[in-house]
Amino acid sequence: MATNALNEKKFEEDIEAPFLSPAGGYTKGADTYNPKEGLFVDTLINFVKKTQPKEWNKFEHFNATNTIHKFCNAFNNACQSEGLVNVLRHGFKHRGIKFRVCYFKPESTLNQLAQTQYAHNVCECYRQWYYSDQCKNSVDMVLVLNGIPVFAFELKNQYTGQTVENAQRQWMYDRDPREVCFQFNNRILAYFCVDHTEVYMATKLAGKDTYFLPFNQGSNGAGNDGGRGNPPNPNGYPTSYLWEYVFQKDSMLDIIQKFINLTTEKVKKTLYDGSTEIKTKQTLIFPRYHRV
């Protein structure tokens, strides 16, 4: 049992190290997660105060008591009505005050203000994220943007006899989708299952109906015809592209800004009495390498 724990810990460490390197661009998270707000509150508030002091002072003026809680409520209300992807991309308004919760990389280096704003983003990596005040479960790793959990990873090590299939079952049966952090397009935008050789992901937790798609390069590498899985990697794990390239800080922000898509469709459902009702179905589409 101790050996298994050490093997799992080693895999986490091997993933965390590239994230925390200068090339990876993340820092080691040190804030305390608030499960009721679904946020690392101090990190978000400090980001807003630093980047938008005038807006914060105005908000504080009109909300002199419980200011931080009221700001979190305003943010949560915006996520509930507009979705997190939209809030990240465009910010939100509260009684005429416009806030941004992240900044994206400008297309040109000529805009010094935009460059400075982008540099203020706080991208953090947390291991063993205790996400709930209702249970003692933890997620192996989470990436956090300015205090907002955005991507989560369950990591499995073949040496312990577990694979991505075990991670899938964990997301399906051990994670309550009613938690603030697991509600669709409210916090976590994609849930990843990762072992040494394969990666799978989902954008919505729905218990046993959670639908996972492969996030592999293909046996001959990305962009090449081949079979399932990933090619051997002489320099590390076959799945290291995930943390070395896909979720490198700049790439992660680029994905949020440009490549995650929200689709909406009308679905007709026949009821037990023969009548029909029309429901709106939303799907988050995360860019992938191959459907293999």
Side-chain angles (χ1 to χ4, degrees):
M1 191 70 177
T3 301
N4 284 352
L6 287 173
N7 284 334
E8 292 286 356
K9 184 178 179 182
K10 178 66 164 59
F11 192 36
E12 285 184 22
E13 290 172 347
D14 289 345
I15 295 173
E16 181 189 47
F19 276 139
L20 300 183
S21 70
Y26 293 82
T27 56
K28 193 176 184 68
D31 197 358
T32 299
Y33 180 70
N34 184 321
K36 285 188 169 58
E37 306 290 8
L39 296 163
F40 293 87
V41 174
D42 288 349
T43 303
L44 177 60
I45 297 302
N46 289 339
F47 170 81
V48 172
K49 286 181 176 180
K50 187 172 185 178
T51 58
Q52 300 146 90
K54 292 181 180 178
E55 290 81 356
W56 177 260
N57 288 338
K58 187 181 293 186
F59 183 89
E60 196 171 34
H61 175 74
F62 291 111
N63 299 276
T65 60
N66 298 321
T67 307
I68 290 174
H69 177 64
K70 288 177 180 177
F71 181 85
C72 291
N73 273 349
F75 171 79
N76 284 325
N77 289 338
C79 290
Q80 290 289 340
S81 61
E82 303 294 333
L84 178 60
V85 171
N86 188 75
V87 172
L88 289 170
R89 288 176 176 171
H90 305 294
F92 70 96
K93 281 187 177 181
H94 178 75
R95 297 184 178 180
I97 308 172
K98 175 72 177 289
F99 288 102
R100 296 299 302 262
V101 293
C102 73
Y103 292 101
F104 297 108
K105 195 170 187 177
E107 299 296 333
S108 168
T109 58
L110 298 178
N111 189 332
Q112 187 57 51
L113 175 59
Q115 291 277 0
T116 301
Q117 290 173 328
Y118 182 72
H120 283 314
N121 285 318
V122 181
C123 298
E124 296 175 304
C125 174
Y126 285 82
R127 284 170 56 186
Q128 296 305 316
W129 171 41
Y130 289 89
Y131 58 84
S132 178
D133 58 0
Q134 301 299 311
C135 67
K136 296 185 181 299
N137 291 344
S138 66
V139 170
D140 289 330
M141 188 169 290
V142 63
L143 300 182
V144 178
L145 173 58
N146 299 323
I148 306 164
V150 284
F151 298 109
F153 307 84
E154 289 293 356
L155 311 174
K156 299 302 173 187
N157 187 329
Q158 275 92 335
Y159 290 122
T160 67
Q162 294 195 322
T163 67
V164 287
E165 292 182 357
N166 297 93
Q168 289 174 13
R169 287 193 288 272
Q170 205 166 12
W171 282 124
M172 287 190 288
Y173 300 115
D174 296 343
R175 309 292 180 239
D176 187 344
R178 293 171 298 183
E179 293 275 357
V180 173
C181 57
F182 297 146
Q183 293 171 13
F184 176 72
N185 195 17
N186 192 40
R187 290 298 186 274
I188 299 297
L189 299 175
Y191 306 86
F192 285 84
C193 308
V194 188
D195 64 24
H196 291 186
T197 59
E198 290 198 89
V199 180
Y200 280 75
M201 55 79 64
T203 56
K204 182 178 181 178
L205 293 189
K208 64 181 178 61
D209 297 320
T210 302
Y211 184 57
F212 290 95
L213 291 167
F215 196 80
N216 297 311
Q217 301 177 87
S219 60
N220 290 324
N224 300 315
D225 291 335
R228 294 168 56 89
N230 294 294
N233 180 1
N235 300 311
Y237 300 105
T239 51
S240 64
Y241 61 91
L242 187 71
W243 51 90
E244 291 179 354
Y245 300 107
V246 175
F247 283 107
Q248 185 273 342
K249 184 196 77 171
D250 296 318
S251 176
M252 181 270 290
L253 283 159
D254 211 35
I255 287 169
I256 291 175
Q257 181 188 19
K258 301 175 182 176
F259 297 110
I260 292 180
N261 291 310
L262 180 68
T263 64
T264 303
E265 61 178 320
K266 300 292 185 180
V267 179
K268 183 184 290 187
K269 182 179 180 181
T270 301
L271 303 179
Y272 69 94
D273 61 357
S275 63
T276 60
E277 66 175 4
I278 304 296
K279 288 193 172 183
T280 299
K281 178 184 178 183
Q282 289 190 319
T283 304
L284 271 182
I285 300 175
F286 191 92
R288 294 186 296 122
Y289 282 101
H290 288 277
R291 294 181 183 273
V292 297

